[in-house]
Amino acid sequence: MTRDDALALDADDPLRSLREQFSLPAGVIYLDGNSLGVLPKATPARVQQVVQQEWGESLIRSWNTAGWITLPQRVGDKIAALVGAGPGELVVADSTSVNLYKVLSAALAIAETDAPAKRVILSERSNFPTDLYIAEGLAAERGYELVLTDEPEQIEPLLAEGNVAVLMLTHVNYRTGRMHDMGALTQRAHAAGALMLWDLAHSAGAVPVNLKGNGPEAEAADFAVGCGYKYLNGGPGAPAFVWVHPRLADRFWQPLSGWMGHAAPFEFTSQYRPAPGIARYLCGTPPVISMAALECGVDTVLAAEAIPGQGLAGLRRKSLALTRLFIELVESRCAGHGLTLVSPREDAHRGSQVCFAHDTAGYPIMQALIARGVIGDFRAPDILRFGFTPLYTRFVDVWDAVEHLKQVLDSGEWREARFNQRAAVT
Ligand SMILES: Cc1ncc(COP(=O)(O)O)c(C=O)c1O
């Protein structure tokens, strides 16, 4: 593969026009959309409109006239279309961590009623820390045991032991990019009498997700949460989303029973009466400006649907081609420099990111790359993480990024002192 070959792949790419939707800074190859998506061109104007017209001129009337009050549902329906959920089943609210607290509490409350003898929350040690911390807190509060696997192969035998109340997994692992088989694991959890909770932080907008499955009802998951600021391009700290299968949504008051989740918030009654369905998973007043920005981001993903034969399936095809090329080029052009692939080689098991471990110099190598305008990130203790957002990443970006990596490694420039000082955010 030469640079010209990469340029030819871009010229043939049916999704190439989608990059036009983004404000990408000149001279930057951005491989961190799995952490913070790129700014869509539509966002500044939309935010300005919300601030100057809807807020500045219409003031409080905008809750009705500009549809602020239904933003959590409106943006939620758009995200639902990306994760295999139906309209009216998913809302945008709070952060992923807070939504995890709500759905794990609901799952435990349901398990307590339906299967009181099951006392285990099962997850993976490699899950994102916030998921584990929320589970640790709830397990202690509710008298459950949090059991963590070290290998995905341990999940099934542990389920078979019969005491798992909730299986809580992240679909695409934040550190390795390994992707679980959602339908198969959901089915196994259900066969073992456990509820299935998915964190879609690294999936929504990047890989096709089918929460409700196509086959047997047992393949339909029970709960899901996900981030707005990664592949959904909602901006820093964008609100998150929460989905509960309609068969369960009405079964439990989620613990943060705030007024926005009330059946009739503007009746101002003194007693809580939960809204039917997913609306009860709202808590307080929605952050309107952030939600408007998130809607612009979600629209950039939905734009793939407008290209015949593309949509999320097309994005997935391109994402796999990008990550495959990156692996192939790093392994062939940067051999002998101590980089070890930690992401799965098999397409079916890989999300939209590629990670390499380096025993001693992962952090400074990444800093040297960033200084050259190739932006990925570092995850302790030893991981160089590269995210590939198919909406705006080109094949030539992959080629150029590997050329920079090769130069950083060949020259040893990462040894410079300035690349070895740890910043707060890595
Ligand atoms: C899998 C996963 N879950 C949750 C989060 C973050 O949640 P929050 O938005 O609450 O910070 C992240 C952040 O990177 C993540 O990777």
Side-chain angles (χ1 to χ4, degrees):
M1 164 78 57
T2 63
R3 191 170 192 275
D4 281 344
D5 295 333
L7 287 167
L9 288 175
D10 288 323
D12 279 349
D13 173 13
L15 298 170
R16 64 187 178 281
S17 61
L18 296 175
R19 182 177 162 90
E20 296 304 312
Q21 301 180 102
F22 297 92
S23 288
L24 279 147
V28 164
I29 297 174
Y30 193 67
L31 302 180
D32 217 357
N34 55 323
S35 207
L36 174 65
V38 167
L39 172 67
K41 283 182 186 156
T43 305
R46 174 68 184 124
V47 167
Q48 197 170 5
Q49 180 190 32
V50 172
V51 171
Q52 293 195 324
Q53 285 156 30
E54 297 181 7
W55 175 18
E57 287 168 29
S58 301
L59 288 163
I60 202 160
R61 292 168 289 192
S62 284
W63 282 105
N64 292 314
T65 57
W68 287 355
I69 197 68
T70 52
L71 264 174
Q73 282 90 354
R74 186 168 90 214
V75 184
D77 281 354
K78 290 185 174 187
I79 297 173
L82 298 173
V83 295
E89 292 178 7
L90 184 153
V91 286
V92 174
D94 305 309
S95 65
T96 306
S97 306
V98 172
N99 288 331
L100 261 167
Y101 181 81
K102 296 175 200 167
V103 291
L104 187 54
S105 300
L108 293 177
I110 290 167
E112 194 78 61
T113 315
D114 294 358
K118 294 184 189 289
R119 304 309 299 175
V120 167
I121 302 169
L122 182 61
S123 194
E124 295 179 288
R125 201 175 308 282
S126 63
N127 202 343
F128 189 75
T130 208
D131 301 52
L132 299 181
Y133 302 158
I134 295 285
E136 188 183 335
L138 275 168
E141 193 183 302
R142 305 281 188 106
Y144 280 78
E145 185 190 355
L146 176 60
V147 173
L148 302 178
T149 59
D150 289 304
E151 299 298 334
E153 293 69 30
Q154 295 170 326
I155 295 173
E156 276 191 66
L158 281 165
L159 280 173
E161 288 179 12
N163 42 24
V164 176
V166 184
L167 175 59
M168 181 190 83
L169 297 174
T170 293
H171 184 215
V172 176
N173 186 279
Y174 79 103
R175 203 198 289 266
T176 63
R178 187 193 156 104
M179 184 166 75
H180 285 300
D181 181 337
M182 178 175 284
L185 275 169
T186 301
Q187 203 158 10
R188 284 186 198 122
H190 287 165
L195 291 161
M196 185 72 236
L197 192 170
W198 288 105
D199 182 335
L200 304 178
H202 294 272
S203 319
V207 299
V209 175
N210 200 351
L211 283 171
K212 289 174 93 179
N214 296 321
E217 175 68 358
E219 260 192 28
D222 299 298
F223 303 93
V225 297
C227 281
Y229 48 78
K230 301 181 189 290
Y231 294 103
L232 296 180
N233 307 313
F241 64 88
V242 51
W243 171 83
V244 180
H245 194 289
R247 70 180 166 233
L248 299 176
D250 288 327
R251 280 203 52 191
F252 175 68
W253 284 19
Q254 59 99 351
L256 304 178
S257 44
W259 73 306
M260 283 292 155
H262 191 278
F266 287 87
E267 284 179 9
F268 297 104
T269 57
S270 56
Q271 267 196 325
Y272 184 68
R273 183 159 51 89
I278 195 66
R280 70 181 55 189
Y281 280 80
L282 301 176
C283 179
T285 304
V288 170
I289 301 169
S290 305
M291 284 212 187
L294 173 59
E295 187 168 23
C296 294
V298 174
D299 285 343
T300 62
V301 186
L302 289 171
E305 306 284 347
I307 302 176
Q310 297 305 314
L312 267 177
L315 289 171
R316 173 67 173 156
R317 276 192 298 274
K318 180 174 173 190
S319 148
L320 284 174
L322 291 167
T323 52
R324 228 183 281 127
L325 177 62
F326 186 73
I327 293 171
E328 183 190 310
L329 288 177
V330 172
E331 290 191 331
S332 58
R333 305 195 68 220
C334 305
H337 285 294
L339 290 173
T340 311
L341 180 69
V342 288
S343 299
R345 229 172 258 287
E346 313 79 52
D347 285 357
H349 297 155
R350 192 171 68 247
S352 205
Q353 72 185 55
V354 176
C355 300
F356 282 91
H358 192 283
D359 279 355
T360 50
Y363 184 78
I365 292 169
M366 183 54 79
Q367 298 318 301
L369 273 176
I370 293 172
R372 286 166 165 260
V374 179
I375 303 182
D377 59 27
F378 172 77
R379 288 294 173 262
D382 58 358
I383 303 261
L384 292 112
R385 190 169 72 152
F386 302 91
F388 296 84
T389 302
L391 288 171
Y392 49 75
T393 307
R394 300 169 302 190
F395 291 94
V396 75
D397 296 326
V398 171
W399 205 96
D400 289 344
V402 177
E403 174 61 23
H404 279 292
L405 179 59
K406 180 174 159 45
Q407 289 178 17
V408 163
L409 294 167
D410 285 350
S411 67
E413 73 194 44
W414 55 269
R415 292 177 201 279
E416 289 175 33
R418 63 187 171 127
F419 298 138
N420 284 273
Q421 284 153 7
R422 288 275 173 115
V425 176
T426 62

